[in-house]
């Protein structure tokens, strides 16, 4: 299998398993990634997913060997609402958090896959970059959509136009990396982070998450974004907010403790 999954309680890990190709994604891998993420999003018993690469690299992008000799492998559905992207799940939107555990190379389509996650835990020696620039391969898995929203247009264009590599530290300074951890520890730290956010009242957290995405990508105005946030918030006031307030009143979480 070119994608391996495992449950850790309510956390699912999804691993790209082509270490011999630095986890470059071919059509088979893309299909398996879509299946794995679809299963995760539909499973109500799962609270978060962690995407990683097996064998020391996150993902080196689309498999250019397959592209070079089998152009039929990238039959692209041009309507983004009707089919997956070349890298697989890049056009998907999830109802619960996804964390990327990044080691080694996360370049070209691999960078794009890391951007579909809510958070990125990155090892010190990791490398990001739009390496496909040098081969005339476009960003077609959300790179020109998510990256400018995440780090701003100026910094995004610095990567998109030059194709240069950036280190974990620069990725952190840009806002791509949320955590930088020692080499060999990204997956462990990502799972622990997933467990932490899974310990919170889930409906409230996921509605706030949905509201943040809506205001960033879909809302046409400040007022529309505020209206969406208000309607989302009302849904959980009795279900989670009132019980939470009672727990606080009884002494839980005082002095800023979570």
């Amino acid at each position: 299998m070119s994608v391996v999954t495992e449950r850790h309680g309510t956390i699912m890990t999804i691993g790209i398993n082509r270490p011999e190709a630095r986890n470059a994604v071919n059509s088979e891998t893309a299909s398996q990634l879509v299946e794995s993420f679809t299963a995760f999003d539909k499973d109500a018993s799962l609270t978060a997913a962690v995407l990683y690469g097996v064998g020391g690299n996150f993902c080196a992008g689309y498999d250019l060997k397959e592209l070079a000799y089998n152009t039929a492998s990238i039959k692209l559905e041009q309507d983004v609402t009707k089919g997956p992207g070349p890298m697989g799940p890049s056009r998907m939107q999830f109802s619960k958090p996804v964390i990327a555990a990044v080691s080694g190379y996360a370049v070209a389509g691999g960078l794009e896959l890391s951007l579909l996650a809510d958070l990125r835990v990155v090892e010190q020696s990791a490398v990001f970059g739009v390496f496909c620039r040098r081969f005339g391969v476009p960003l077609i898995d959300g790179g020109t959509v998510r990256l400018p929203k995440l780090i701003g247009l100026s910094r995004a264009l610095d990567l998109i136009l030059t194709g240069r590599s950036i280190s974990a530290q620069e990725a952190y300074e840009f806002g791509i990396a949320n955590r930088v951890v020692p080499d060999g520890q990204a997956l462990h730290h990502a799972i622990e982070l997933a467990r932490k956010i899974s310990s919170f009242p889930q409906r409230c957290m996921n509605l706030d998450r949905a509201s943040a995405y809506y205001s960033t990508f879909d809302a046409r105005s400040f007022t529309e974004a505020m209206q969406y946030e208000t309607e989302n918030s009302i849904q959980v006031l009795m279900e989670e907010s009132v019980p939470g307030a009672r727990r606080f009143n009884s002494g839980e979480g005082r002095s800023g403790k979570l």
Side-chain angles (χ1 to χ4, degrees), residues 111-182:
L111 168 61
E112 293 180 289
L113 278 186
S114 77
L115 297 176
L116 67 78
D118 301 279
L119 302 169
R120 281 150 295 281
V121 177
V122 177
E123 294 182 3
Q124 290 174 334
S125 64
V127 175
F128 293 88
V130 185
F131 284 14
C132 52
R133 177 58 54 238
R134 65 194 72 174
F135 301 114
V137 179
L139 294 173
I140 202 168
D141 284 273
T144 66
V145 178
R146 291 187 176 101
L147 190 61
K149 288 289 188 181
L150 186 67
I151 66 174
L153 180 60
S154 178
R155 282 177 164 170
L157 288 176
D158 184 3
L159 299 182
I160 292 169
L161 297 182
T162 69
R164 71 182 181 91
S165 65
I166 62 171
S167 66
Q169 183 58 40
E170 190 170 7
Y172 180 77
E173 293 167 359
F174 271 23
I176 296 173
N178 299 95
R179 310 277 194 279
V180 177
V181 301

Side-chain angles (χ1 to χ4, degrees), residues 156-218:
L157 288 176
D158 184 3
L159 299 182
I160 292 169
L161 297 182
T162 69
R164 71 182 181 91
S165 65
I166 62 171
S167 66
Q169 183 58 40
E170 190 170 7
Y172 180 77
E173 293 167 359
F174 271 23
I176 296 173
N178 299 95
R179 310 277 194 279
V180 177
V181 301
D183 288 350
Q185 296 187 23
L187 181 58
H188 168 74
H189 281 273
I191 291 172
E192 289 304 306
L193 180 57
R195 285 176 174 151
K196 179 63 177 179
I197 64 179
S198 295
S199 70
F200 298 130
Q202 291 295 285
R203 184 163 166 76
C204 177
M205 186 193 72
N206 284 320
L207 285 174
D208 279 351
R209 175 183 176 277
S211 184
Y213 273 104
Y214 183 82
S215 67
T216 300
F217 289 102
D218 297 317

